[in-house]
Amino acid sequence: MEQGKTFGIPKALVWQAYQEMRQNKGAPGCDGQTITQFDEQRDRNLYKIWNRLSSGSYFPPPVREKRIPKADGSERTLGIPTVSDRVAQGVVKIYLEKILEPLFHNSSFGYRPDRPAHDALAQCEYHCRRKGWVLEVDIKAFFDHVDHDLIMKALKHHKVPAWVTLYYKRWLLAPMKLNSGELQERQQGTPQGGVISPLLANLFLHYAFDQWMCRENPYTPFERYADDIVCHCSRMSEAVRLKDQIRERMKEVGLSINEVKSNVVYIDTFPRRNVKHCFTFLGYDFKVRTKRNYKGELYRACAPGAAMKAMKKITQTIKAWKVHRSTEASIKVLAKRNNAVLRG
């Protein structure tokens, strides 16, 4: 700890957070400052962040409201922090991640290092081949209803340094600047778009769901990607009972499940009527498909494939590009313009 500083925060941690922020890019916050503008006085700005974090005098600015339309016609509200605030959040996230990552459940995949979505899809396919029933669970407006007190309780349980809990509390309470210019105070929830929000979500659901499942249903495998959950059951009655249990559990922690998107699904090869036979997880439709083995023989098994909604959406996007009219553009120009969407 440097002399005269309240908290011993290494400068190297601020530099690492800055590098990650640059790599992830992102839009300007409520102050309108871009990454390019931040870099014009980079060293001064980074020193200011470190100095305020170390002295306990850092107070986060409001997050900027950004509304994203969803497929069902509703909107998802994001909270975009300023560039400086993303660096500050990154400092605390990197520090806390080293403590929490080894403790998280192996079936938790969302927003964790070295645990990409395709690992979750592979595990989901593995379990679908062994159990004929699936319970898909979607938590309703999860990021908007996370209980602040329970998050702080979880942080204190791990005995993290005082500066970590101090700044996490300030970020949780930071207001949102609406498109109208008004400031909206927040007493619950954590804004999507923040650097710390995914880690807070995983910490909350680690105790609200993962650990609870290990206690109450230790032989029921599952995959969780943030607030999207898939549980695998052997019988329909087991899946229905589990849905009731999860509904009650979510009520205990101040949340609720989306009844429309939470369904019991049959994914075995034997025919069955009056029940759903397909579910969507991370943009892939899981259902029984005809496949070919290494001998060239056909067989039936549950397998993932690109979701029909996602296929229609990307088809409409590509049509809107009107590539056939871009006759003057070179291959490099087209690639620079469109590759990000194609990769996504």
Side-chain angles (χ1 to χ4, degrees):
M1 182 185 300
E2 293 203 13
Q3 188 175 3
K5 297 300 180 186
T6 307
F7 305 122
I9 300 176
K11 291 180 180 177
L13 208 58
V14 179
W15 178 251
Q16 184 181 349
Y18 164 76
Q19 295 286 6
E20 291 189 5
M21 182 276 297
R22 278 195 58 82
Q23 185 177 2
N24 295 330
K25 300 180 181 179
C30 63
D31 62 353
Q33 185 184 50
T34 64
I35 297 176
T36 303
Q37 292 170 336
F38 180 90
D39 284 345
E40 291 174 0
Q41 293 184 313
R42 184 194 65 187
D43 294 345
R44 180 182 177 183
N45 289 330
L46 292 179
Y47 178 82
K48 187 186 298 183
I49 293 169
W50 169 81
N51 187 47
R52 291 179 177 176
L53 286 173
S54 299
S55 62
S57 61
Y58 181 83
F59 286 88
V63 295
R64 178 174 63 86
E65 180 188 39
K66 174 70 174 178
R67 294 186 178 273
I68 306 295
K70 298 171 69 174
D72 59 2
S74 61
E75 292 182 322
R76 176 183 286 110
T77 303
L78 304 183
I80 310 299
T82 63
V83 175
S84 297
D85 197 42
R86 292 208 293 273
V87 175
Q89 290 188 32
V91 171
V92 185
K93 188 206 79 161
I94 293 169
Y95 182 90
L96 191 59
E97 212 167 46
K98 294 177 182 178
I99 300 173
L100 298 180
E101 264 301 312
L103 306 176
F104 285 158
H105 198 281
N106 286 333
S107 293
S108 168
F109 294 91
Y111 310 112
R112 294 180 58 190
D114 302 321
R115 296 185 68 78
H118 283 87
D119 287 355
L121 293 169
Q123 181 174 307
C124 185
E125 181 180 7
Y126 173 84
H127 287 135
C128 284
R129 300 282 181 92
R130 284 151 182 81
K131 290 181 178 285
W133 291 88
V134 159
L135 172 63
E136 54 173 344
V137 179
D138 181 80
I139 302 176
K140 189 175 182 179
F142 169 72
F143 284 92
D144 295 333
H145 295 99
V146 172
D147 190 296
H148 290 180
D149 292 336
L150 291 178
I151 289 179
M152 299 309 297
K153 182 179 178 180
L155 287 172
K156 292 175 181 177
H157 171 73
H158 291 285
K159 298 179 180 179
V160 298
W163 61 273
V164 173
T165 55
L166 172 69
Y167 291 127
Y168 263 116
K169 188 170 184 179
R170 289 180 183 176
W171 277 310
L172 287 172
L173 296 175
M176 178 178 290
K177 188 173 184 180
L178 305 180
N179 294 329
S180 62
E182 299 178 6
L183 291 181
Q184 182 183 72
E185 300 296 328
R186 190 171 62 249
Q187 298 299 325
Q188 65 177 6
T190 176
Q192 284 183 269
V195 176
I196 63 166
S197 295
L199 183 59
L200 288 179
N202 278 327
L203 175 62
F204 186 92
L205 287 173
H206 174 71
Y207 290 104
F209 182 80
D210 301 349
Q211 292 294 91
W212 173 82
M213 278 290 288
C214 292
R215 292 194 309 269
E216 302 295 328
N217 301 279
Y219 303 110
T220 303
F222 67 91
E223 294 82 38
R224 181 178 65 78
Y225 195 95
D227 57 341
D228 290 330
I229 303 168
V230 174
C231 304
H232 303 269
C233 304
S234 300
R235 298 181 301 277
M236 182 178 183
S237 58
E238 180 185 344
V240 172
R241 177 183 57 82
L242 180 59
K243 183 178 180 180
D244 292 337
Q245 286 183 315
I246 293 176
R247 184 187 294 111
E248 292 303 315
R249 175 57 179 173
M250 291 300 109
K251 287 182 181 178
E252 292 175 4
V253 296
L255 299 173
S256 61
I257 66 173
N258 189 328
E259 297 290 348
V260 176
K261 296 183 179 180
S262 301
N263 301 293
V264 174
V265 185
Y266 179 72
I267 41 85
D268 207 343
T269 54
F270 299 101
R272 192 174 183 118
R273 297 180 180 178
N274 301 324
V275 67
K276 194 176 178 182
H277 294 87
C278 174
F279 70 94
T280 303
F281 183 50
L282 301 180
Y284 284 78
D285 285 340
F286 281 79
K287 62 181 179 180
V288 176
R289 304 173 186 271
T290 301
K291 305 191 73 176
R292 193 182 299 273
N293 62 17
Y294 70 98
K295 293 182 180 179
E297 301 168 339
L298 298 179
Y299 70 99
R300 300 273 286 169
C302 182
M308 291 304 297
K309 286 184 179 180
M311 293 289 286
K312 289 179 181 178
K313 185 176 180 181
I314 189 62
T315 300
Q316 292 172 354
T317 301
I318 293 175
K319 283 183 178 179
W321 290 343
K322 298 181 179 179
V323 178
H324 61 286
R325 295 186 179 180
S326 302
T327 54
E328 296 182 359
S330 66
I331 292 296
K332 289 185 177 180
V333 172
L334 291 175
K336 185 177 180 180
R337 185 191 305 167
N338 304 326
N339 271 358
V341 177
L342 295 175
R343 283 196 301 268

